[in-house]
Amino acid sequence: MAHSPFDIELDDMTLARAKRGNVDACETIFRKFQQPAFSVAFRICQCRETAQEVSQEAFITAFRKLRQFRGDSPFWGWLRRVVVNHAISQLRKSPKADPVELQDYHGKAEATSDRVGMAMDLESALAALQPEDRAIVWLHDVEGYNHREIAGLFGKTESFSKTRLSRARDRLKDLLEAGPALKYAQDATAR
Amino acid sequence: MNFSKVHMMHKERDPLNLRSLPLVEPLEDGWPEIKNSLLQENRRQRILRLAGGSLAAAAVITLSVSLFVQQPSPSPQQQSPLQSATQSIPATATLDSLIALSQQLESGIRSYRAEVGGMPTDSLIYQVEIEDLIAQVDDELSVRPDSTQLWSQRVNLLLDLSQLYENQLRRDYHRMASL
C-alpha cells in the first residue's frame, strides 16, 4: 500500500520533548508536517486561506493534546486525524468554499509540461467536485482511509462513503475527459 | 510482492492517480502564531499549577477539619487501643471524602452548565484547559485509583471549574439586573 504524504518519521526524543511542552521540539514537528497538513486541509476545504487557518488550529490543538497521544500507533496518523477532523468540521461550517483558481497551482520546477498539464486538469476536476465528494475521494484514494473511517468522520454510514466515492470518481472521470473544455470555461469565467 | 501486483493495488486504490498531485505550499509560515499560542498556554499552565497547589492544600485542610468535626466519637468502653490508632489515620477517610466531594462538585457543575448560557471566549479557553487537566488526572486515576494526591488535584480542578461557572452566573445576573 502506498504511503500517505503524512507518513514521515519522527524521532522519539523530539516527541518526548514536545510532550513536555518544549517549544523547539514543537517547531521541529511543525516544520516536518506543515506541508502535508496544509495540503490535506486544502484538498478538503479547497481554499488556501481556510486551509491555512485549519492547519494552524490543528497544530495548536495537537500540541495541546500531545500528552494524550499514547504511542500505540504512528504519530503521523494521530496528527493527520487531528488535521482531518479540523478540516471536516470547517467543511461542515461552510460547505460551499470558493472554487480553486488555476494560477494557485505551483508545479515542481523539474516537472515536464505534460505532467503539469495533467496535474492542472486533475486540480480543475477536483475543484469542480462537491466539497464532501472531494474530501471523500481524497481521503480514500490518497490518504488511504477506509469506508468505516470516512463514515465515522462524517457521522454517516459506510454505504454513504461508498456511494459518494463512486460518484466522485465518475464525476472526476467525466471532468477529465472534458478537460480542455473545462479549462476554457474556467478561463472564460476568470476573464 | 512483485512490481505489477503493487502497481495493480495502487491503480485500484487510486484509479485517477490523485497521488500524482504535488503537495501544496502553505500561504505563509504559520509557526510564529502557533509559537505565541504555545507560549501563552505554557504561562497559563504554570499559573494554573501554582493556583492549583494552594487551592488543593486549602481543600484538603477544609475536608480534614469537617471530617474531624462530623466523626462520631465512640464510647470509651467500645474503643479498643487498635481502633483508636486506626481512627487517627486520616488517609482512608480523606480519600473517601475526596471522592464524595468530587462527586458533589461534578453534580454542582452539571447544574451550573444547565443554568449558564454561553461563556465568553476568555472563560471558555480557561474552561477547556481545566477540563483537559481533569481528563489528564482521570487518565492517571485509571492507573492509580487510590491516590489521595490525584483525587485532591481532581477536587481542586473541579473547584476551579465551579468557580468559573459561579463567576459567569454572577456576571449574567448583573447583566440581567442592569436591563
Side-chain angles (χ1 to χ4, degrees), chain A residues 32-112:
Chain A
K32 269 180 183 279
F33 292 97
Q34 176 186 21
Q35 211 180 1
F38 180 83
S39 286
V40 77
F42 173 71
R43 295 302 177 196
I44 293 173
C45 302
Q46 202 62 41
C47 166
R48 286 176 166 266
E49 285 76 16
T50 310
Q52 184 81 28
E53 275 174 35
V54 163
S55 56
Q56 282 189 207
E57 281 170 16
F59 273 110
I60 292 171
T61 304
F63 291 137
R64 279 186 54 202
K65 307 242 176 207
L66 203 50
R67 283 179 185 201
Q68 291 172 19
F69 171 64
R70 293 179 189 277
D72 43 11
S73 56
F75 172 75
W76 64 263
W78 181 82
L79 179 64
R80 184 180 66 174
R81 200 160 58 237
V82 175
V83 177
V84 168
N85 281 341
H86 271 263
I88 298 288
S89 90
Q90 178 61 39
L91 195 68
R92 284 207 191 99
K93 282 187 237 165
S94 55
K96 283 180 185 165
D98 293 334
V100 70
E101 289 174 25
L102 288 177
Q103 56 265 36
D104 278 347
Y105 172 76
H106 301 292
K108 284 183 179 164
E110 69 268 23
T112 64

Side-chain angles (χ1 to χ4, degrees), chain A residues 3 31 39 64 141 145, chain B residues 13 19 24 27-29 132:
Chain A
H3 295 293
R31 299 279 172 222
S39 286
R64 279 186 54 202
D141 289 4
Y145 275 63
Chain B
R13 182 88 208 183
R19 283 175 191 269
V24 189
L27 281 179
E28 58 192 46
D29 181 13
D132 280 355

Side-chain angles (χ1 to χ4, degrees), chain B residues 18-158:
Chain B
L18 293 174
R19 283 175 191 269
S20 65
L21 289 174
L23 291 176
V24 189
E25 283 288 338
L27 281 179
E28 58 192 46
D29 181 13
W31 175 246
E33 204 173 311
I34 295 169
K35 186 182 177 183
N36 276 343
S37 167
L38 289 178
L39 291 174
Q40 274 179 10
E41 172 89 11
N42 286 351
R43 268 196 296 274
R44 274 197 297 265
Q45 294 285 355
R46 269 200 299 275
I47 293 167
L48 261 178
R49 271 196 292 271
L50 280 172
S54 48
L55 269 169
V60 169
I61 290 166
T62 313
L63 274 164
S64 305
V65 169
S66 62
L67 278 167
F68 182 77
V69 170
Q70 283 170 10
Q71 225 160 38
S73 56
S75 61
Q77 291 84 1
Q78 291 171 327
Q79 193 174 4
S80 72
L82 182 65
Q83 277 175 325
S84 166
T86 50
Q87 276 166 6
S88 67
I89 299 169
T92 322
T94 308
L95 178 65
D96 289 344
S97 33
L98 282 169
I99 293 171
L101 185 62
S102 172
Q103 283 168 354
Q104 276 175 27
L105 285 165
E106 290 262 22
S107 144
I109 287 166
R110 268 198 297 277
S111 317
Y112 282 144
R113 274 199 188 113
E115 284 178 60
V116 172
M119 281 267 198
T121 314
D122 53 340
S123 302
L124 195 63
I125 291 168
Y126 197 56
Q127 178 202 337
V128 170
E129 277 170 4
I130 297 173
E131 284 171 351
D132 280 355
L133 288 171
I134 292 172
Q136 281 175 31
V137 173
D138 285 347
D139 273 356
E140 289 181 43
L141 273 172
S142 64
V143 184
R144 290 185 295 147
D146 296 334
S147 164
T148 314
Q149 194 196 353
L150 286 172
W151 278 106
S152 302
Q153 279 179 22
R154 193 173 202 280
V155 164
N156 160 54
L157 289 166
L158 288 171

Side-chain angles (χ1 to χ4, degrees), chain A:
Chain A
M1 167 125 352
H3 295 293
S4 155
F6 262 90
D7 189 352
I8 300 169
E9 280 279 322
L10 181 70
D11 64 286
D12 292 345
M13 191 60 86
T14 305
L15 187 58
R17 282 166 58 224
K19 273 187 172 186
R20 287 201 303 271
N22 182 294
V23 176
D24 292 338
C26 291
E27 183 174 7
T28 305
I29 293 175
F30 172 77
R31 299 279 172 222
K32 269 180 183 279
F33 292 97
Q34 176 186 21
Q35 211 180 1
F38 180 83
S39 286
V40 77
F42 173 71
R43 295 302 177 196
I44 293 173
C45 302
Q46 202 62 41
C47 166
R48 286 176 166 266
E49 285 76 16
T50 310
Q52 184 81 28
E53 275 174 35
V54 163
S55 56
Q56 282 189 207
E57 281 170 16
F59 273 110
I60 292 171
T61 304
F63 291 137
R64 279 186 54 202
K65 307 242 176 207
L66 203 50
R67 283 179 185 201
Q68 291 172 19
F69 171 64
R70 293 179 189 277
D72 43 11
S73 56
F75 172 75
W76 64 263
W78 181 82
L79 179 64
R80 184 180 66 174
R81 200 160 58 237
V82 175
V83 177
V84 168
N85 281 341
H86 271 263
I88 298 288
S89 90
Q90 178 61 39
L91 195 68
R92 284 207 191 99
K93 282 187 237 165
S94 55
K96 283 180 185 165
D98 293 334
V100 70
E101 289 174 25
L102 288 177
Q103 56 265 36
D104 278 347
Y105 172 76
H106 301 292
K108 284 183 179 164
E110 69 268 23
T112 64
S113 58
D114 277 357
R115 280 171 59 199
V116 171
M118 172 65 82
M120 285 176 79
D121 287 342
L122 262 177
E123 291 278 358
S124 312
L126 262 178
L129 289 183
Q130 282 189 12
E132 277 190 345
D133 290 359
R134 185 176 54 245
I136 288 168
V137 76
W138 190 265
L139 290 174
H140 185 274
D141 289 4
V142 180
E143 295 294 341
Y145 275 63
N146 60 36
H147 289 296
R148 189 174 49 80
E149 289 168 322
I150 294 172
L153 276 170
F154 286 90
K156 302 271 173 69
T157 59
E158 284 187 41
S159 53
F160 159 85
S161 170
K162 286 175 189 166
T163 312
R164 286 305 194 85
L165 177 68
S166 163
R167 191 172 88 175
R169 282 177 175 170
D170 287 347
R171 177 98 177 107
L172 274 175
K173 273 181 211 153
D174 290 348
L175 288 164
L176 287 171
E177 279 162 16
L182 177 76
K183 258 196 287 183
Y184 176 80
Q186 287 198 339
D187 288 347
T189 314
R191 283 196 294 273

